[in-house]
Amino acid sequence: MNLRLIGIGTGVLIILSLPLAGAIAGPDFAGQDDGKGSGLFSALGLSDSSRTSPTAPARPAAPEGPAAGPEQPGPVEQPRTDSRCGPELSSPHGVEAQTCILVGEGRTWGRSYYRNTSGRALDAVLTVMGPAGRTVQIRCAVGEGDEPGLCETPKEDSAGEPDSYSAVAEFAVPDDEGQLLLRSGSNAPAPGGG
């Protein structure tokens, strides 16, 4: 009985080792190279690129230094944008917002991030106030739903220090009465809660 188990075990090992032997030999086992460098060693990343088969021509070394060709461009560097944001606010009517002043590349603009779960469409008016009485205002339609959105003024050339700008976003019901649901500003509250 032991001889029978040994014979079965040996047969199984031989059958299981045949695909492995073929993978190690690769397509070059009969002296025919498909040029893909397949086989177990290359599949595992163990092939030596300096090794060549007798039927394959040697590969020339890659040039080094400036003669190697044009350099691949890296990722495009994005211009820096600084922001000053007020607190995240929410109203009992289902509106959440945070309003910011953004500065980048010599330009200043306002942006208000919002979420409207009030169950109805709203109007938002975003106003940016700058030095010397400069004001930019935009009206945004705020759809109903839980998806976040943003309202943003056009970018204007900066006319002073970033601290001389402020923004206010007002969210209201779009009807004749225009009930104000939330006002959000870019200025952070004073330290100490006062």
Side-chain angles (χ1 to χ4, degrees), residues 11-85:
V12 168
L13 285 176
I14 291 171
I15 291 171
L16 292 176
S17 64
L18 287 177
L20 181 60
I24 290 173
D28 198 18
F29 68 93
Q32 299 172 351
D33 186 9
D34 66 355
K36 296 180 183 172
S38 45
L40 183 61
F41 287 114
S42 59
L44 295 175
L46 300 174
S47 65
D48 182 6
S49 61
S50 64
R51 247 184 29 187
T52 58
S53 70
T55 59
R59 293 183 186 142
E64 296 180 9
E71 292 184 21
Q72 295 295 328
V76 176
E77 188 172 320
Q78 296 295 322
R80 180 185 169 111
T81 301
D82 293 320
S83 64
R84 188 180 77 248
C85 299

Side-chain angles (χ1 to χ4, degrees), residues 86-87 89 97-99 112-113 126 167-171 182-186:
L89 301 175
Q98 182 178 29
T99 302
S112 185
Y113 302 95
L126 176 59
V168 174
E170 297 176 315
F171 296 85
L182 180 67
R183 179 178 288 133
S184 169
S186 63

